[in-house]
């Protein structure tokens, strides 16, 4: 379970990115967070990944306040949360195979496990033929599928996808959303931030709407309303 | 698990080195310059030391005894001098050898040899050549002679001590050598600091290019050691490759200037010096290259390892 307890974030220039956020996400839930640019969606994600600290409040992940964790434990936490970003964030000097294997290596997984699991997830995201290509040899959709493969390979508890379809055409967007749904069907919590109305309407899952750093709507089977 | 992690780090570092071709090349070029400066410092230091040793070895005090002084008395003085801690060596030159040296030295100067024929006997006394351990100690040896052998008095067995003649030369040599040693040390330290700073900045630039990559590694939960390791390995490879290049390129360079250095610096041929001390120089260059490369990478990457 993930719980944001009265989380407020004020940056040094007095910009209020989040105001008094109370949010509870149950295991295996698929939650979409929508809102205009600057609404606070990405800041909320950063709080969960311990990339940024809240000015006030707590972010609880399975009964632990993530901002009280020591560095080593933050790394362990991040290995339990798969991340997918709009700009893919792949390692440019590693092949597709190595990008996915890297996530397993940092989790201290043995070589034999890596050599059996990586081809398996590559097959899941339909990229077996591109295993030894570098990221700059892939299309946007393919890069995002690599990012998904990397995010799921360690079988994390949560997948955080921050605008994963922002740079993709409708066909690729559809494919990525279907993959996220499949991951969620297998029991992984998915937190998706997006601007894409079509994606939200297609999902018919819980939708949280943010505006000016506040949650203004929380619909259990929501629609995209801004 | 530890050896598996080390294996992965080394493999990843080697791949980083190979795949970041342009960045690796520029870092290697800068490190080559750094290591060439270091090699230059090693050779300059060898030349300076050799010159100083050669100059020092040419300094000595000559003690000339009266003709009437027995060999036994001279050998007594010799043993007294040898017991002094500041004395390196004392060479005994017999009366006969002094005469022989005089004849050889003046064989073309009949005016200087003619009086010997008139005298019909050896007018020279024996002499002692004294070498001190340090140039600055000649004065104390001279004082010892004055105090113990009543030089310049009627009952002295010593005719002349040529310390006063050489004093000026010895004093100048002492100050030149002392200044040379200080200057050499300052220049060496300065060059090494400068070259490390240049290398550090080049590697910082190389790591700056990878800052987004480091951020991604942080986000997937990589430990700092696992992120830093491959960059440190790549830094060590920059150093290793540069060191090998420098060690090879030093062969033609030293060969080219070897004869000139032998002519200018008391027969020290840097090519011969390089070959004779190859293993020692190789160790210094290799260790320095690997150390500077890996430490620079380690320091440069620290900035990007923030979790929060």
């Amino acid at each position: 379970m993930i719980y944001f307890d009265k989380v407020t974030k004020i940056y040094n220039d007095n910009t209020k990115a989040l105001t008094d956020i109370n949010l509870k996400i149950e295991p295996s839930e698929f939650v979409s967070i929508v809102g205009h640019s600057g609404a606070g969606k990405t800041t909320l994600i950063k709080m969960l990944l311990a990339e940024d600290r809240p000015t006030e409040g707590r972010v609880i992940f399975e009964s632990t306040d993530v901002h009280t964790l020591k560095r080593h434990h933050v790394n362990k936490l991040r290995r339990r949360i798969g991340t997918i970003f709009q700009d893919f964030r792949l390692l440019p000097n590693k092949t597709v195979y190595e990008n996915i294997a890297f996530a397993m290596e940092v989790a201290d997984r043995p070589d034999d496990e890596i050599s059996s699991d990586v081809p398996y997830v590559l097959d899941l995201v339909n990229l077996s033929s591109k295993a030894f290509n570098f990221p700059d040899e892939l299309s946007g959709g393919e890069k995002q599928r690599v990012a998904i493969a990397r995010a799921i390979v360690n079988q994390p508890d949560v997948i955080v996808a921050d605008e994963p379809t922002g740079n993709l055409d409708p066909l690729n967007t559809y494919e990525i959303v279907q993959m996220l749904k499949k991951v969620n069907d297998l029991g992984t919590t998915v937190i998706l931030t997006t601007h894409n109305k079509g994606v939200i309407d297609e999902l018919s899952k819980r939708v949280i709407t943010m505006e000016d750093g506040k949650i203004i709507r929380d619909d259990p089977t929501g629609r995209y309303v801004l | 698990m530890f050896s598996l992690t080390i294996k992965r780090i080394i493999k990843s570092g080697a791949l980083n080195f190979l795949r970041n071709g342009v960045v690796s090349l520029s870092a290697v070029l800068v490190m080559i310059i750094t290591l060439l400066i270091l090699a230059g410092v090693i050779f300059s230091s060898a030349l300076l030391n050799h010159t100083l040793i050669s100059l020092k070895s040419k300094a000595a005090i000559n003690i000339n005894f009266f003709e009437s002084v027995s060999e036994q008395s001279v050998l007594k003085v010799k043993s007294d001098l040898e017991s002094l801690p500041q004395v390196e060596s004392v060479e005994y030159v017999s009366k006969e050898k002094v005469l022989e040296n005089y004849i050889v030295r003046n064989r073309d100067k009949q005016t200087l040899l003619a009086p010997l024929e008139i005298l019909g006997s050896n007018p020279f006394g024996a002499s002692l050549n004294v070498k001190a351990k340090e140039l600055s100690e000649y004065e104390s040896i001279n004082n010892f002679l004055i105090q113990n052998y009543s030089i310049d008095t009627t009952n002295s067995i010593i005719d002349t001590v040529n310390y006063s003649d050489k004093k000026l030369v010895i004093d100048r040599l002492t100050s030149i050598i002392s200044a040379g040693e200080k200057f050499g040390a300052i220049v060496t330290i300065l060059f090494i600091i400068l070259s490390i700073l240049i290398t550090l900045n080049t590697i910082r630039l190389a790591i700056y290019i990878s800052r987004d990559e480091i951020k991604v590694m942080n986000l997937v939960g990589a430990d700092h050691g696992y992120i830093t390791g491959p960059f440190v390995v790549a830094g060590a490879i920059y150093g290793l490759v540069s060191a090998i290049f420098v060690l090879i390129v030093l062969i033609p360079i030293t060969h080219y200037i070897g004869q000139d250095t032998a002519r200018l610096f008391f027969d020290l041929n840097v090519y011969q010096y390089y070959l004779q001390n190859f293993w020692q120089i190789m160790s210094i260059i290799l260790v320095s290259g690997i150390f500077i490369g890996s430490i620079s990478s380690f320091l440069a990457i620290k900035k990007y390892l923030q979790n929060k």
Side-chain angles (χ1 to χ4, degrees), chain A residues 49-51 53 67 69 71-72 74-75 78-79 85 89 91-95 98 102 105-106 108-111 114 134 150, chain B residues 1 4-5 7-8 11-12 15-16 19-20 210 213-224 226-227 305-308:
Chain A
L49 293 171
E51 259 195 279
R53 275 183 167 280
H67 297 282
L69 291 174
R71 195 178 72 193
H72 179 67
V74 169
N75 291 332
R78 286 175 180 171
R79 290 174 207 159
F85 297 95
R89 299 201 194 170
L91 302 171
N93 289 313
K94 291 192 187 291
T95 62
E98 288 165 353
F102 182 78
E105 285 174 3
V106 301
D108 291 335
R109 305 277 289 275
D111 283 344
I114 292 175
F134 286 92
R150 182 180 66 187
Chain B
M1 186 47 69
L4 181 65
T5 306
K7 190 193 90 182
R8 285 171 178 171
K11 186 183 167 196
S12 181
L15 284 176
N16 278 355
R19 289 175 182 171
N20 286 316
S210 306
E213 207 175 323
I214 295 166
K215 216 173 173 181
V216 176
M217 291 174 173
N218 271 321
L219 275 177
V220 298
D223 284 326
H224 285 184
Y226 205 85
I227 299 174
L305 288 176
Q306 303 306 316
N307 258 336
K308 293 173 185 176

